[in-house]
Amino acid sequence: QVQLVESGGGLVQPGGSLRLSCAAFGLTLDYYAIAWFRQAPGKEREGVSCISANDGSTEYADSVKDRFTISKDNAENTVYLQMNSLKPEDTAVYHCAAAFDCGDPTYDYWGQGTQVTVSS
């Protein structure tokens, strides 16, 4: 069965960096787009970034542009989110999710999430 497994979350000081990983099982990144979402207390879930299956093109929320970078290794079926210059407002639970396309409103598969806390 399909499974997405996130890792790499933790506690970091403002201005620091973390790299999140999303390992996919039961699907191939050659055919599925992978997106990162986050949800902070009292806020709606927010789309952070997405990487497409066909050409590897990327998308970012305005709030993380120039600070976060999404990438993937098709051979390892793993997507990464490099997060630099972290701010307290980046604190949230981060989930990865799979869909056929980054523009698809429906994401069929979700990971369990990993906590990112940015605090001094």
Side-chain angles (χ1 to χ4, degrees):
Q1 60 183 13
V2 172
Q3 187 176 20
L4 303 178
V5 181
E6 302 101 330
S7 62
L11 175 65
V12 65
Q13 295 183 3
S17 298
L18 286 173
R19 189 179 76 157
L20 306 183
S21 298
C22 175
F25 303 89
L27 61 81
T28 172
L29 300 187
D30 292 326
Y31 295 101
Y32 282 86
I34 298 292
W36 288 96
F37 295 84
R38 67 185 182 185
Q39 187 164 23
K43 303 195 71 174
E44 294 292 321
R45 186 164 58 202
E46 174 190 20
V48 176
S49 186
C50 188
I51 187 163
S52 66
N54 50 3
D55 62 359
S57 61
T58 58
E59 301 175 2
Y60 299 94
D62 288 343
S63 58
V64 306
K65 285 180 179 177
D66 302 320
R67 298 189 299 119
F68 291 10
T69 302
I70 190 170
S71 62
K72 66 175 179 176
D73 185 332
N74 283 7
E76 294 189 6
N77 247 28
T78 300
V79 172
Y80 305 96
L81 185 68
Q82 179 67 45
M83 306 186 295
N84 298 326
S85 302
L86 283 162
K87 305 174 181 179
E89 50 262 46
D90 295 317
T91 296
V93 177
Y94 285 70
H95 297 262
C96 62
F100 280 114
D101 183 76
C102 288
D104 195 328
T106 301
Y107 282 80
D108 293 324
Y109 308 107
W110 292 79
Q112 296 188 58
T114 185
Q115 176 71 46
V116 172
T117 302
V118 185
S119 176
S120 59

